[in-house]
Amino acid sequence: VLKPHLTKLDPIQRQGVLKDWKYSTTDASGFNRNNLLTARELLLKAGYRYQNAELLDKKGKPIQIEFLIFQDGLQRTLMPFVRNLKRLGIRVNIRQVDVPQYIERMRSKDFDMTTNVMPQSLSPGNEQAQFWGSQSADQPGNYNYAGIKNPVIDIAIEQVIRAQYREQLVVRTKVLDRLLRAGYYQIPTYGKG
């Protein structure tokens, strides 16, 4: 299903699609030195550099990320991730806003990072276009928060929607999942089986 579209993917996404991807495993301490060393190596290979324990882009500008949240208790669950970003030299700010402001900023995609629950059906269909489709990327209030515009993902969504029988739906959904994971649009933190 993917083979005809591989050449249309950028090299990083193509590599991610072909990789035998698995979730990282940890000891649940919130600190995984090996993953931090791997991340650091990848950042350096990508052209970032360090100065005074701070990660800088190619122009020497510090890398900073703002987490947008509205829930009080969420800071506690974000702290291991934030701590690891800081260990990588990334400046992190958690901005807690009230619910109306959060909704408006999400609607207009005015944020760097946020947390979100992305519940999925066991029979995915038309809603996938709102979550991941190019057309929804620029529509205010839609669910494509990452602003994904990828023609191969659009094709995969269309194939999911047009699946004729269950086995076809499962295969096509796995293709869409593989494309989304390889695009690094989200950082899965935890889930339920």
Side-chain angles (χ1 to χ4, degrees):
V1 174
L2 272 170
K3 200 172 188 176
H5 308 293
L6 288 176
T7 58
K8 299 174 193 164
L9 298 172
D10 83 24
I12 291 173
Q13 194 172 18
R14 185 172 40 249
Q15 180 183 5
V17 163
L18 296 173
K19 185 178 179 183
D20 184 22
W21 188 89
K22 291 179 179 36
Y23 281 106
S24 295
T25 55
T26 71
D27 63 4
S29 69
F31 179 70
N32 186 323
R33 182 171 170 75
N34 289 335
N35 282 357
L36 284 170
L37 291 171
T38 300
R40 185 179 194 283
E41 183 182 328
L42 290 169
L43 289 165
L44 290 171
K45 281 183 184 175
Y48 293 90
R49 61 187 174 86
Y50 285 92
Q51 183 176 322
N52 301 325
E54 194 168 50
L55 184 66
L56 307 175
D57 67 13
K58 293 175 185 177
K59 296 178 183 176
K61 182 179 173 193
I63 303 301
Q64 52 190 23
I65 295 174
E66 179 181 90
F67 274 96
L68 179 67
I69 63 170
F70 70 89
Q71 310 94 318
D72 280 331
L74 196 54
Q75 289 186 20
R76 187 186 61 216
T77 58
L78 283 176
M79 290 324 293
F81 187 66
V82 168
R83 195 171 37 250
N84 286 328
L85 287 175
K86 287 181 178 181
R87 284 184 176 131
L88 289 171
I90 298 170
R91 293 182 189 175
V92 182
N93 177 42
I94 297 177
R95 178 169 307 260
Q96 185 173 348
V97 296
D98 61 18
V99 174
Q101 186 178 5
Y102 180 82
I103 291 169
E104 180 55 32
R105 287 187 63 180
M106 291 296 290
R107 196 181 77 70
S108 61
K109 297 176 181 69
D110 181 18
F111 62 92
D112 294 335
M113 288 185 93
T114 190
T115 61
N116 206 346
V117 176
M118 299 295 290
Q120 295 290 323
S121 163
L122 292 176
S123 296
N126 292 332
E127 76 283 354
Q128 300 305 307
Q130 288 184 341
F131 286 139
W132 325 112
S134 296
Q135 191 173 5
S136 68
D138 295 324
Q139 294 173 342
N142 228 322
Y143 300 104
N144 185 348
Y145 297 119
I148 300 168
K149 293 181 182 177
N150 185 314
V152 178
I153 289 175
D154 292 338
I155 291 167
I157 291 168
E158 197 59 36
Q159 289 177 340
V160 165
I161 292 169
R162 304 266 181 258
Q164 298 288 317
Y165 46 91
R166 184 77 185 161
E167 184 180 310
Q168 196 176 51
L169 176 64
V170 169
V171 168
R172 291 174 177 186
T173 301
K174 286 181 179 182
V175 166
L176 176 59
D177 180 60
R178 188 173 280 245
L179 285 164
L180 292 169
R181 282 187 281 118
Y184 303 101
Y185 303 110
Q186 297 183 341
I187 301 170
T189 53
Y190 61 91
K192 296 179 182 178

